[in-house]
Amino acid sequence: MADTKIIVNCETGEVTELELTAEEVKQREADAIAYAKAKADEEQAAAEKAEAKAAIAERLGLTDAELALLLG
Amino acid sequence: MATYIQIATATGTGSSSSLTFSSIPATYTDLLVKFSLRSDTTGLTNFNITVNSTNPTQRNLEGFSTSAPTSDTVTYNYAPASGITASTYSNGELYIPSYLSSNSKSVSLDNTSENNATGSNRLELTAKLYSSATSAITTISITDIYGNWTNLSTAYLYGISKS
């Protein structure tokens, strides 16, 4: 069965279930790809930041706990 | 004193990825959507909320398990799906102040994605900006990006009047 959408008309109370249009299906697929990319990009940026922080801590001779304390 | 009037209810069917409120009347001051959502996809799903068919930009503050809260700007939120403890839901609400305004709409969302497993619950606080929604809001859609909303998923739309 094709994916559908539920539409509740707030003026009439009528509820309809319609098949997604080709455009809506395409948009949904694009949204999924865009989400995965955005999340991956943010996770990579966070990982790179953590790595840079660890490198600085190592140069300063600080433990993770000491660094966390400093950064509050 | 504010008055809350229930305008409409949308319920999942198990085959629908989107719950939409259309023809929202212009008779209130603010709108509130309270939702309880679960997807039929595997693991977690992500959902997006559009108003007048426009997407938001948003900032999320997210707390997961025992990790320190994180912040991101992805335009989706989380809901449980088939890999998560049965009968658990994403419970939350979307508050839309001044929905009749001709300015962009700033909207707040809070959401918990339940999972009855130790350290697996998730909390999200989100600030959304619908910069393209510069007319009165007449349509709100909650769309499951990866699956369909189960038949116990619900969304309730309320109109809020000043008195």
Side-chain angles (χ1 to χ4, degrees), chain A residues 4 6 8 10 17 28 35 42, chain B residues 16 18 20 22 72-73 144 147:
Chain A
T4 62
I6 301 291
V8 181
C10 296
E17 184 170 4
R28 193 167 170 238
Y35 168 75
E42 295 218 3
Chain B
S16 296
S18 176
T20 296
S22 69
D72 64 42
T73 57
D144 182 344

Side-chain angles (χ1 to χ4, degrees), chain B residues 5-24:
Chain B
I5 305 293
Q6 188 179 347
I7 300 172
T9 302
T11 305
T13 59
S15 60
S16 296
S17 57
S18 176
L19 300 175
T20 296
F21 296 108
S22 69
S23 302
I24 297 169

Side-chain angles (χ1 to χ4, degrees), chain B residues 58-113:
Chain B
Q58 67 188 51
R59 168 63 68 179
N60 308 301
L61 180 61
E62 182 182 325
F64 176 65
S65 184
T66 56
S67 303
T70 58
S71 174
D72 64 42
T73 57
V74 295
T75 52
Y76 308 104
N77 295 92
Y78 287 92
S82 63
I84 306 297
T85 310
S87 302
T88 58
Y89 290 83
S90 156
N91 298 303
E93 65 179 46
L94 181 78
Y95 194 87
I96 306 175
S98 303
Y99 76 106
L100 301 176
S101 160
S102 56
N103 296 322
S104 300
K105 307 297 186 299
S106 296
V107 171
S108 63
L109 176 146
D110 64 71
N111 178 41
T112 58
S113 185

